[in-house]
Every structure is written in structure tokens, then in C-alpha cells.
């Protein structure tokens, strides 16, 4: 949590004449999270950016603050579940409230088709699913009591079906998708908007890892950020990024198991 470079930095305060929406982004040091942080800063949000790598996180904040916008870094590893309540309290006190919570953090390991790797599967479930649950289970009651707020989780098209390529990643994202759907069903009646983002392929470091598939209909992190920001503005429920994946996955989801298990997709 200590950050010698930016510990003196505080978020720009809201005033009656200049109300500011306040957002927390988890996993904002690079890729989709960093691009979304810049986009939300452009839209006037005051940001608390959370990630485990302080150097990269500081750089994103310095870039945003250099534009006269407001972002403060908080170093945190999402697998440190016990520290989530205190970290959230500190951030909400610093921001003076909270309007939007976004969970983007994620990891992936691309296994070979004959590889069954519990250590890697464990990491993916810890970061992609349990980290999200640790944070959102603290944010949800806050928003439920306030009868307002938005929760966004970045899941994946990979959660829509169990495919031969990556059972562990598929499972972590299917779990996140279901968790978000359940929370949406709980919280919509309390005025809270829960959005599931399902990217197809986005040109980030993730797609450069060993074993990564050839990019297909891949968009830039900035394009992904624009579509996520639009989903937030429009208070959507489920958004595929890019929109083309909505149609691809509509077909994929309806392929009968008896055929799907013979496919290499
Ligand atoms: N890129 C794609 O094609 C694609 C497609 C579908 C879904 N997604 C999802 O989109 C999200 C963002 O992915 P991305 O492509 O932007 O990946 P990325 O560039 O690797 O960014 C992921 C961020 O999450 C952070 N993170 C990972 N583990 C963490 C931990 N234990 N504690 C705190 N922060 C942690 C990473 O920090 P480190 O750099 O320190 O690891 C990184 O800053 C992920 O949930 C991913 O599964 C991506």
C-alpha cells in the first residue's frame, strides 16, 4: 500500500459547483485497464487506480495527472484478499465516495493440449475470479445500501463455453460471468447497474504470451476502452468487445455438445 512516489497525491475533490464522478479500477497498470483509466479520466472521473506493479501504475497516473485530470495509484495484489476491506475503505475515504467500480485484473496461461497444470489454473482462478469476488462482495453492499452505483467486471468470451484450449481460464471466466449475472439479478432492483464485459481479442501483452492464439478480430486497448466506457454511459448489462463477438458467440453457444466436442475451437 505504501507508495513513496505518490503518497502525497490526493484525488481532486468534488465541489457543489464541480461534481466529479469517482471510480476505482482494479488492474489499471497496463492493457485494457490503463486505456480505460485514460478514457474515464477524459470523461471527468476522479480515479483510484489499483494494481500490483507500482512503477507501471505510477506512470499511468502521472500521464493522466499531466493532462489536468486526477488519478491516484494504490499498490495492491488482488490475491491478498484479507487486505481488501481496509484498502477499499481507505480509497473511498480518499475519493470522498464512489460511483463506479471496475474489475479488469486478469492473468492467463496458455497450456498445450495435453497439459493439465493445476498451479497455473489455481493462479487464474485466484486472480480472475476470487480477486473479483473479494472486491465486489465489499462494494456491492455499499452500493445496495446507497441504492445507486455501477459495478463492471471484465470477463471474456472464453467464459461462454468450455473449450479444448484452456479449461482453467474458461472456468475462471465462466465463474466470473455467472457471479456478475447473479449480482445483477440481486442489485438491479436496488438501482445498482452491474455490467459484464466480454472481450474477444484485444492487442495487449496477454496476446504476446507463449502459446497465445493468432489474433482474430482483435481490437486495440483504446478501442476496447471506448466500448467499455460506452457500456458504462448507457448502463448496459452484457457487452461483447468488439460487438462482432456477440454474433460469433451466439452461434458458438448454440452448437450442440455432441458436435462441439469434435471441434478444435
Ligand atoms: N487481451 C485479450 O485478448 C483479452 C480477451 C478477453 C478478456 N481479457 C481480459 O481483460 C482483462 C485485462 O486484460 P489485458 O489484456 O489488459 O491484460 P494485461 O495487459 O496483462 O493487464 C492485466 C492487468 O492485471 C494486473 N494483474 C494481474 N494479476 C494481478 C494481481 N494479482 N494483483 C493486481 N493486479 C494484477 C496485471 O498486472 P501485472 O502486469 O503485474 O501482471 C495487469 O496490469 C483480463 O481480465 C483479461 O482476462 C483480455
Amino acid at each position: 500500500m505504501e507508495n513513496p512516489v505518490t503518497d502525497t497525491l490526493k484525488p481532486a475533490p468534488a465541489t457543489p459547483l464541480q461534481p466529479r464522478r469517482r471510480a476505482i479500477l482494479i488492474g489499471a497498470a497496463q492493457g485494457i485497464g490503463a486505456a480505460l483509466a485514460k478514457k474515464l479520466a477524459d470523461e471527468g472521473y476522479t480515479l483510484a487506480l489499483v494494481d500490483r506493479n507500482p512503477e507501471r501504475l505510477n506512470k499511468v497516473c502521472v500521464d493522466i495527472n499531466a493532462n489536468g485530470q486526477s488519478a491516484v495509484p494504490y499498490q495492491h495484489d488482488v490475491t491478498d484478499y484479507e487486505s481488501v476491506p481496509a484498502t477499499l475503505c481507505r480509497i473511498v475515504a480518499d475519493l470522498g465516495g464512489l460511483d463506479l467500480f471496475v474489475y479488469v485484473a486478469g492473468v492467463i496461461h496458455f497450456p498445450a493440449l495435453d497439459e493439465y497444470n493445476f498451479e497455473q489454473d489455481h493462479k487464474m482462478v485466484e486472480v480472475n475470479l476470487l480477486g473479483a469476488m473479494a472486491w465486489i462482495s465489499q462494494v456491492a453492499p455499499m452500493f445496495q445500501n446507497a441504492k445507486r452505483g455501477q459495478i463492471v467486471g471484465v470477463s471474456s468470451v472464453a467464459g461462454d463455453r468450455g473449450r479444448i484450449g484452456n479449461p482453467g481460464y474458461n472456468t475462471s471466466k465462466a465463474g466470473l460471468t455467472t457471479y456478475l449475472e447473479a449480482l445483477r439479478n440481486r442489485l438491479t432492483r436496488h438501482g445498482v447497474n452491474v455490467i459484464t464485459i466480454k472481450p474477444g481479442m484485444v492487442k495487449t501483452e496477454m496476446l504476446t504470451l507463449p502459446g497465445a492464439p493468432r489474433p482474430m478480430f482483435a481490437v486495440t486497448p483504446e478501442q476496447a476502452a471506448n466500448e467499455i466506457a460506452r457500456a458504462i454511459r448507457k448502463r448496459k448489462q452484457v457487452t461483447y468487445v468488439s460487438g462482432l463477438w456477440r454474433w460469433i458467440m451466439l452461434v458458438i453457444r448454440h452448437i450442440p455438445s455432441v458436435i462441439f466436442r469434435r471441434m478444435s475451437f
Side-chain angles (χ1 to χ4, degrees), residues 138-186:
Q138 295 297 315
V139 172
M142 243 175 62
F143 282 165
Q144 178 168 334
N145 289 336
K147 301 216 169 296
R148 52 182 289 283
Q150 285 183 287
I151 296 172
V152 180
V154 177
S155 186
S156 171
V157 296
D160 278 10
R161 287 244 28 195
R163 309 208 312 250
I164 62 169
N166 206 334
Y169 185 70
N170 287 170
T171 302
S172 69
K173 292 300 188 178
L176 178 59
T177 297
T178 303
Y179 181 70
L180 292 168
E181 182 188 14
L183 286 201
R184 177 157 52 249
N185 294 340
R186 265 195 181 193

Side-chain angles (χ1 to χ4, degrees), residues 63-75:
D63 288 351
I64 289 174
N65 291 321
N67 280 344
Q69 298 155 342
S70 175
V72 179
Y74 296 84
Q75 189 188 352

Side-chain angles (χ1 to χ4, degrees), residues 11-28:
T15 64
L17 289 179
Q18 196 184 21
R20 284 173 162 273
R21 284 162 298 169
R22 299 139 302 184
I24 298 177
L25 262 85
I26 313 285

Side-chain angles (χ1 to χ4, degrees), residues 26-34 50-53 56 76-80 103-108 126-128 154-158 169 173 176 197-207 209 218 221 241:
I26 313 285
Q30 62 170 4
I32 298 170
V50 180
D51 208 303
R52 64 181 169 185
N53 181 316
R56 276 204 297 253
H76 162 82
D77 187 315
V78 297
T79 62
D80 181 7
Y103 192 92
V104 196
V107 289
I108 195 166
E126 277 192 327
V127 175
N128 302 355
V154 177
S155 186
S156 171
V157 296
Y169 185 70
K173 292 300 188 178
L176 178 59
I197 303 293
K198 296 185 181 181
M201 287 194 177
V202 185
K203 294 174 197 155
T204 65
E205 211 172 273
M206 237 180 215
L207 288 189
L209 296 174
V241 173

